Amino acid sequence: MKEQLQALVLDAIDALRAAGTLPAGDTPAFVIERTKNRAHGDFATNAALLLARQAARKPRELATALVDSLPAAMLVERVEIAGPGFINFFLARAAYVDEVRRVHAEGARWGHGTTGAGRTAGVEFVSANPTGPLHVGHGRAAAIGDSIARVLAANGWHVVREFYYNDAGAQITNLALSVQARARGIEPEAPTWPADGYRGDYIKDVARAFLDREAIYSEGERVLASGDVDDLDAIRRFAVAWLRREQDQDLKAFGVRFDVHFLESSLYDQGKVEETVHQLTARGHTYEEGGALWLRSTAFGDDKDRVMRKSDGSYTYFVPDVAYHLSKWQRGYERAITELGSDHHGSLARVRAGLQALDCGIPEGWPEYVLHQMVTVMRGGEEVKLSKRAGSYFTLRDLIDEAGRDATRWFLTARKSDSQLTFDIDLARAQSNDNPVYYVQYAHARVASVMRQLAERGMAHDQTHGLAHLDRLDSQAELDVMVELSRFPEVVEAAGANLEPHLVTIWLRDLAAAFHGWYNTNQFIVDDAELRDARLALAGAVRQALANGLELLGVSAPESM
RNA sequence: GCGCCUGUAGCUCAGCUGGAUAGAGUACUGCCCUCCGAAGGCAGGGGUCGCAGGUUCGAAUCCUGCCAGGCGCGCCA
């Protein structure tokens, strides 16, 4: 709809330029937008306001000229000029009816766009170190990242979901030492406990499994515990495999899958880290100081230079990070989205600087970052502390177990990622109207229920008949539903363009509200077959639309509840 | 001290990248089931958009300066 109106306005502008009312020149980026107020029609444009200066005429005057040059269109019933010079479009009901037919014709693909044109977008998210269970912050990352991936796919991108494991750094050594200590029966309070050891109870479980010589199957590989407490390398491999398996299970329970599990260690194994350092040095962007090798990242927008190779010969974490992102580029990711906790935002400038210094054609804003703020969990009116060290560790799994997958995913995506989020467990698990997830799911189940009721009364729904008589839907409530329905393609596009999946949750709520309002004022199953089939056709379109929206969030669309 | 993010109804949050009278949910008040699911609907009250300037036809939105909160600022990841 929006595109059609846009085309009409552009035609009108061309006509005015041809007539000399407007001088030749660039057309400013005017907006076609939904109006807030029904009295202002369905859509409005500010084109006349923006073009007024260029034309050296008053905005309202120019608006009149624009309206006069507007080509006729079935879509538009009437046009008004309002306020300082807005052009308001009142759409014909037929425009909305057409959209209902489109929903039925396109089904699960309805609302999807083509801006991605099959190009590849890599979405990296979660990327938790395999040193502990996933916590609630990882849950937010998983929910947001996966929804972004879904939304991009719905916009025609070929999406690759990617999880990066930091399995090569000092933290992994810490993990291995911690497990080793536990295997030897050492408690975190003991003087011989490793300095930065992981104190959580899960370390005990890993140690026990190692001593019991368990085998772990993960990513098609089998890791067998040797049970040899002195073999730190064996402990490391086992512990990493054990924790990866845990994380994989949690993510699976959350409905999140990855296409690529990328190991940091593989960058070392394949010499990619060395190669990156070599390239940066060859291009003259490095220097030695104090026994360390530095990257002159300040030349590429960073606020200080960064050490790449420490004086002990090992690399800082950001070098493999650059090598990793380079590999994404080399694998043809036209867009790369990296979803991170905002506490990592310091690494953005550094990684981008490193990529620019490689001088291999990577655009300046690549990769794109989506940062999410902290999650605080409330239960019984009190904050649930997430202390890793103390071992009293509230995990993603705990949250899913308590609140359910659907509510957890909904709540974690329903907010803009850059605002802090308060997760109220009592609300999320409430089976009541306090809970927005149920409100939307209930609307979906209600349609399904009506269809069941129809069958119980020995009737059948003739969809073709209904779609042919949608003109019978002449109530305000029905128009409200159709208007909400028609917004979905715009929501999908905006959510994809801005990487903001929370827009989908807002729209779902609006559509559900319009539907519930309609349901309460109109009986669907009526004797008049024409009217009945028409109403059921619209109800069916609502069900499909809700399902399509929920799918973008990874939330289920139940037939009954 | 410097950088990033946030500040909108009692509470939780939207506000479509500058538009018209700032919106939802929740809580509160009053209504609506002999009727397809009341996990629903309708109506009402509730606001100095943190504060102060600026930019222009027009600012919650952009700029500057303050105030408050969060997160960063390692040869840690």
Side-chain angles (χ1 to χ4, degrees), chain A residues 65-89:
Chain A
L66 266 175
V67 168
D68 289 343
S69 322
L70 225 42
M74 299 289 289
L75 180 73
V76 181
E77 189 172 274
R78 127 182 109 82
V79 179
E80 278 182 1
I81 295 162
F86 289 104
I87 299 172
N88 294 337
F89 297 93

Side-chain angles (χ1 to χ4, degrees), chain A residues 272 275 323 325-333 360 362 366:
Chain A
K272 300 287 190 188
E275 173 66 14
H325 279 89
L326 175 62
S327 109
K328 291 185 186 177
W329 178 254
Q330 289 168 337
R331 282 180 283 146
Y333 292 3
C360 57
I362 294 177
W366 193 101

Side-chain angles (χ1 to χ4, degrees), chain A residues 211-273:
Chain A
L211 292 174
D212 290 348
R213 302 189 175 207
E214 277 185 22
I216 306 284
Y217 297 90
S218 174
E219 292 294 302
E221 279 182 56
R222 182 167 174 273
V223 178
L224 180 67
S226 68
D228 177 0
V229 194
D230 295 320
D231 188 347
L232 192 62
D233 198 51
I235 294 175
R236 181 206 323 266
R237 281 200 310 276
F238 180 78
V240 167
W242 196 93
L243 284 160
R244 281 187 61 186
R245 186 184 62 182
E246 286 298 293
Q247 294 183 352
D248 289 348
Q249 285 170 352
D250 291 353
L251 289 166
K252 199 174 170 192
F254 205 37
V256 175
R257 296 172 169 283
F258 289 88
D259 304 300
V260 175
H261 292 267
F262 199 102
L263 297 182
E264 181 189 11
S265 56
S266 75
L267 292 165
Y268 286 99
D269 295 346
Q270 294 166 19
K272 300 287 190 188
V273 176

Side-chain angles (χ1 to χ4, degrees), chain A residues 457 459 523-533 535:
Chain A
R457 297 189 192 179
M459 287 183 267
Q523 194 81 9
F524 296 179
I525 303 177
V526 292
D527 291 334
D528 179 345
E530 238 175 57
L531 186 59
R532 183 179 68 230
D533 282 333
R535 285 188 173 155

Side-chain angles (χ1 to χ4, degrees), chain A residues 25 31 48 204 264 318 353 376 392 477 496 500 532 549 554:
Chain A
V31 182
K204 255 192 291 192
E264 181 189 11
F318 110 92
T376 47
S392 69
E500 289 183 340
R532 183 179 68 230

Side-chain angles (χ1 to χ4, degrees), chain A residues 106-311:
Chain A
E106 297 176 12
R109 290 185 321 280
W110 173 73
H112 291 194
T114 55
T115 51
R119 290 170 295 168
T120 299
V123 183
E124 181 207 337
F125 57 111
V126 184
S127 295
N129 287 353
T131 55
L134 299 176
H135 54 65
V136 178
H138 294 126
R140 191 174 191 189
I144 291 173
D146 188 53
S147 286
I148 285 176
R150 288 166 186 253
V151 166
L152 286 176
N155 279 289
W157 289 87
H158 170 245
V159 174
V160 182
R161 292 170 171 77
E162 196 148 329
F163 189 124
Y164 178 66
Y165 280 105
N166 289 109
D167 66 336
Q171 298 308 319
I172 298 298
T173 304
N174 264 334
L175 170 72
L177 288 169
S178 307
V179 172
Q180 187 178 50
R182 281 290 193 183
R184 286 176 168 148
I186 299 169
E187 303 279 325
E189 294 73 28
T192 47
W193 182 259
D196 294 311
Y198 292 95
R199 296 160 169 252
D201 284 346
Y202 63 93
I203 297 291
K204 255 192 291 192
D205 299 334
V206 182
R208 192 175 306 117
F210 181 76
L211 292 174
D212 290 348
R213 302 189 175 207
E214 277 185 22
I216 306 284
Y217 297 90
S218 174
E219 292 294 302
E221 279 182 56
R222 182 167 174 273
V223 178
L224 180 67
S226 68
D228 177 0
V229 194
D230 295 320
D231 188 347
L232 192 62
D233 198 51
I235 294 175
R236 181 206 323 266
R237 281 200 310 276
F238 180 78
V240 167
W242 196 93
L243 284 160
R244 281 187 61 186
R245 186 184 62 182
E246 286 298 293
Q247 294 183 352
D248 289 348
Q249 285 170 352
D250 291 353
L251 289 166
K252 199 174 170 192
F254 205 37
V256 175
R257 296 172 169 283
F258 289 88
D259 304 300
V260 175
H261 292 267
F262 199 102
L263 297 182
E264 181 189 11
S265 56
S266 75
L267 292 165
Y268 286 99
D269 295 346
Q270 294 166 19
K272 300 287 190 188
V273 176
E274 288 286 353
E275 173 66 14
T276 300
V277 172
H278 174 76
Q279 289 296 331
L280 290 170
T281 303
R283 283 175 170 67
H285 299 310
T286 62
Y287 59 92
E288 295 214 28
E289 190 181 296
L293 182 69
W294 296 68
L295 176 69
R296 206 180 304 280
S297 53
T298 47
F300 301 94
D302 201 359
D303 54 3
K304 53 180 82 163
D305 289 345
R306 304 293 170 178
V307 169
M308 294 180 13
R309 192 173 55 224
K310 299 181 247 178
S311 49

Side-chain angles (χ1 to χ4, degrees), chain A residues 329-387:
Chain A
W329 178 254
Q330 289 168 337
R331 282 180 283 146
Y333 292 3
E334 184 155 340
R335 288 178 79 179
I337 288 101
T338 304
E339 208 285 352
L340 288 177
S342 63
D343 54 338
H344 288 80
H345 81 258
S347 77
L348 269 67
R350 222 166 296 191
V351 170
R352 282 183 176 158
L355 292 169
Q356 289 305 304
L358 285 169
D359 192 26
C360 57
I362 294 177
E364 270 185 43
W366 193 101
E368 300 162 71
Y369 283 94
V370 174
L371 304 178
H372 68 265
Q373 295 282 337
M374 310 226 92
V375 181
T376 47
V377 178
M378 302 289 286
R379 178 168 43 196
E382 284 183 15
E383 185 177 341
V384 180
K385 291 290 182 186
L386 316 168
S387 169

